[in-house]
PDB file of all heavy atoms in Angstrom:
ATOM      1  N   LEU A 107      81.210-143.055 -48.528  1.00  0.00           N
ATOM      2  CA  LEU A 107      81.389-144.509 -48.437  1.00  0.00           C
ATOM      3  C   LEU A 107      82.325-144.981 -49.536  1.00  0.00           C
ATOM      4  O   LEU A 107      82.188-144.562 -50.686  1.00  0.00           O
ATOM      5  CB  LEU A 107      80.030-145.204 -48.575  1.00  0.00           C
ATOM      6  CG  LEU A 107      79.996-146.722 -48.487  1.00  0.00           C
ATOM      7  CD1 LEU A 107      80.442-147.207 -47.117  1.00  0.00           C
ATOM      8  CD2 LEU A 107      78.601-147.236 -48.784  1.00  0.00           C
ATOM      9  N   VAL A 108      83.270-145.841 -49.173  1.00  0.00           N
ATOM     10  CA  VAL A 108      84.171-146.453 -50.145  1.00  0.00           C
ATOM     11  C   VAL A 108      83.869-147.948 -50.161  1.00  0.00           C
ATOM     12  O   VAL A 108      84.001-148.618 -49.144  1.00  0.00           O
ATOM     13  CB  VAL A 108      85.652-146.215 -49.785  1.00  0.00           C
ATOM     14  CG1 VAL A 108      86.562-146.930 -50.769  1.00  0.00           C
ATOM     15  CG2 VAL A 108      85.960-144.732 -49.755  1.00  0.00           C
ATOM     16  N   ALA A 109      83.442-148.455 -51.316  1.00  0.00           N
ATOM     17  CA  ALA A 109      83.120-149.883 -51.455  1.00  0.00           C
ATOM     18  C   ALA A 109      84.372-150.604 -51.934  1.00  0.00           C
ATOM     19  O   ALA A 109      84.496-150.984 -53.099  1.00  0.00           O
ATOM     20  CB  ALA A 109      81.964-150.075 -52.419  1.00  0.00           C
ATOM     21  N   PHE A 110      85.341-150.761 -51.042  1.00  0.00           N
ATOM     22  CA  PHE A 110      86.627-151.343 -51.397  1.00  0.00           C
ATOM     23  C   PHE A 110      87.061-152.305 -50.297  1.00  0.00           C
ATOM     24  O   PHE A 110      87.049-151.954 -49.116  1.00  0.00           O
ATOM     25  CB  PHE A 110      87.670-150.234 -51.567  1.00  0.00           C
ATOM     26  CG  PHE A 110      89.069-150.743 -51.771  1.00  0.00           C
ATOM     27  CD1 PHE A 110      89.433-151.356 -52.952  1.00  0.00           C
ATOM     28  CD2 PHE A 110      90.029-150.598 -50.775  1.00  0.00           C
ATOM     29  CE1 PHE A 110      90.730-151.826 -53.150  1.00  0.00           C
ATOM     30  CE2 PHE A 110      91.315-151.056 -50.962  1.00  0.00           C
ATOM     31  CZ  PHE A 110      91.671-151.666 -52.141  1.00  0.00           C
ATOM     32  N   ASP A 111      87.408-153.503 -50.694  1.00  0.00           N
ATOM     33  CA  ASP A 111      87.947-154.501 -49.776  1.00  0.00           C
ATOM     34  C   ASP A 111      89.299-154.928 -50.325  1.00  0.00           C
ATOM     35  O   ASP A 111      89.370-155.570 -51.375  1.00  0.00           O
ATOM     36  CB  ASP A 111      87.002-155.701 -49.678  1.00  0.00           C
ATOM     37  CG  ASP A 111      87.468-156.740 -48.669  1.00  0.00           C
ATOM     38  OD1 ASP A 111      88.622-156.645 -48.187  1.00  0.00           O
ATOM     39  OD2 ASP A 111      86.679-157.649 -48.349  1.00  0.00           O
ATOM     40  N   PRO A 112      90.394-154.547 -49.647  1.00  0.00           N
ATOM     41  CA  PRO A 112      91.722-154.865 -50.175  1.00  0.00           C
ATOM     42  C   PRO A 112      91.993-156.364 -50.283  1.00  0.00           C
ATOM     43  O   PRO A 112      92.920-156.772 -50.989  1.00  0.00           O
ATOM     44  CB  PRO A 112      92.677-154.192 -49.182  1.00  0.00           C
ATOM     45  CG  PRO A 112      91.889-154.007 -47.940  1.00  0.00           C
ATOM     46  CD  PRO A 112      90.451-153.863 -48.366  1.00  0.00           C
ATOM     47  N   LEU A 113      91.186-157.178 -49.635  1.00  0.00           N
ATOM     48  CA  LEU A 113      91.387-158.629 -49.689  1.00  0.00           C
ATOM     49  C   LEU A 113      90.677-159.284 -50.862  1.00  0.00           C
ATOM     50  O   LEU A 113      90.853-160.471 -51.104  1.00  0.00           O
ATOM     51  CB  LEU A 113      90.929-159.263 -48.372  1.00  0.00           C
ATOM     52  CG  LEU A 113      91.638-158.753 -47.117  1.00  0.00           C
ATOM     53  CD1 LEU A 113      91.052-159.400 -45.874  1.00  0.00           C
ATOM     54  CD2 LEU A 113      93.136-158.981 -47.208  1.00  0.00           C
ATOM     55  N   LYS A 114      89.876-158.513 -51.577  1.00  0.00           N
ATOM     56  CA  LYS A 114      89.156-159.054 -52.729  1.00  0.00           C
ATOM     57  C   LYS A 114      89.735-158.484 -54.018  1.00  0.00           C
ATOM     58  O   LYS A 114      90.124-157.316 -54.059  1.00  0.00           O
ATOM     59  CB  LYS A 114      87.660-158.725 -52.641  1.00  0.00           C
ATOM     60  CG  LYS A 114      86.961-159.436 -51.498  1.00  0.00           C
ATOM     61  CD  LYS A 114      85.492-159.139 -51.504  1.00  0.00           C
ATOM     62  CE  LYS A 114      84.793-159.857 -50.356  1.00  0.00           C
ATOM     63  NZ  LYS A 114      83.379-159.525 -50.305  1.00  0.00           N
ATOM     64  N   PRO A 115      89.764-159.276 -55.089  1.00  0.00           N
ATOM     65  CA  PRO A 115      90.296-158.771 -56.362  1.00  0.00           C
ATOM     66  C   PRO A 115      89.329-157.760 -56.994  1.00  0.00           C
ATOM     67  O   PRO A 115      88.125-157.809 -56.788  1.00  0.00           O
ATOM     68  CB  PRO A 115      90.401-160.028 -57.226  1.00  0.00           C
ATOM     69  CG  PRO A 115      89.402-160.966 -56.648  1.00  0.00           C
ATOM     70  CD  PRO A 115      89.353-160.677 -55.168  1.00  0.00           C
ATOM     71  N   LEU A 116      89.901-156.833 -57.771  1.00  0.00           N
ATOM     72  CA  LEU A 116      89.086-155.854 -58.498  1.00  0.00           C
ATOM     73  C   LEU A 116      88.672-156.480 -59.825  1.00  0.00           C
ATOM     74  O   LEU A 116      89.216-156.162 -60.881  1.00  0.00           O
ATOM     75  CB  LEU A 116      89.865-154.569 -58.744  1.00  0.00           C
ATOM     76  CG  LEU A 116      90.124-153.691 -57.540  1.00  0.00           C
ATOM     77  CD1 LEU A 116      90.932-152.465 -57.933  1.00  0.00           C
ATOM     78  CD2 LEU A 116      88.824-153.263 -56.900  1.00  0.00           C
ATOM     79  N   SER A 117      87.704-157.348 -59.781  1.00  0.00           N
ATOM     80  CA  SER A 117      87.296-158.091 -60.969  1.00  0.00           C
ATOM     81  C   SER A 117      86.590-157.221 -62.009  1.00  0.00           C
ATOM     82  O   SER A 117      86.561-157.553 -63.180  1.00  0.00           O
ATOM     83  CB  SER A 117      86.392-159.259 -60.574  1.00  0.00           C
ATOM     84  OG  SER A 117      85.249-158.774 -59.896  1.00  0.00           O
ATOM     85  N   LYS A 118      86.030-156.095 -61.589  1.00  0.00           N
ATOM     86  CA  LYS A 118      85.304-155.236 -62.532  1.00  0.00           C
ATOM     87  C   LYS A 118      86.171-154.117 -63.092  1.00  0.00           C
ATOM     88  O   LYS A 118      85.735-153.367 -63.942  1.00  0.00           O
ATOM     89  CB  LYS A 118      84.068-154.649 -61.856  1.00  0.00           C
ATOM     90  CG  LYS A 118      83.060-155.712 -61.480  1.00  0.00           C
ATOM     91  CD  LYS A 118      81.825-155.115 -60.879  1.00  0.00           C
ATOM     92  CE  LYS A 118      80.836-156.216 -60.544  1.00  0.00           C
ATOM     93  NZ  LYS A 118      79.628-155.709 -59.926  1.00  0.00           N
ATOM     94  N   GLY A 119      87.387-153.959 -62.583  1.00  0.00           N
ATOM     95  CA  GLY A 119      88.282-152.946 -63.115  1.00  0.00           C
ATOM     96  C   GLY A 119      88.054-151.544 -62.570  1.00  0.00           C
ATOM     97  O   GLY A 119      88.609-150.588 -63.086  1.00  0.00           O
TER      98      GLY A 119
END
Side-chain angles (χ1 to χ4, degrees):
L107 181 64
V108 177
F110 173 71
D111 184 349
L113 301 177
K114 293 183 180 177
L116 288 179
S117 59
K118 295 183 179 179

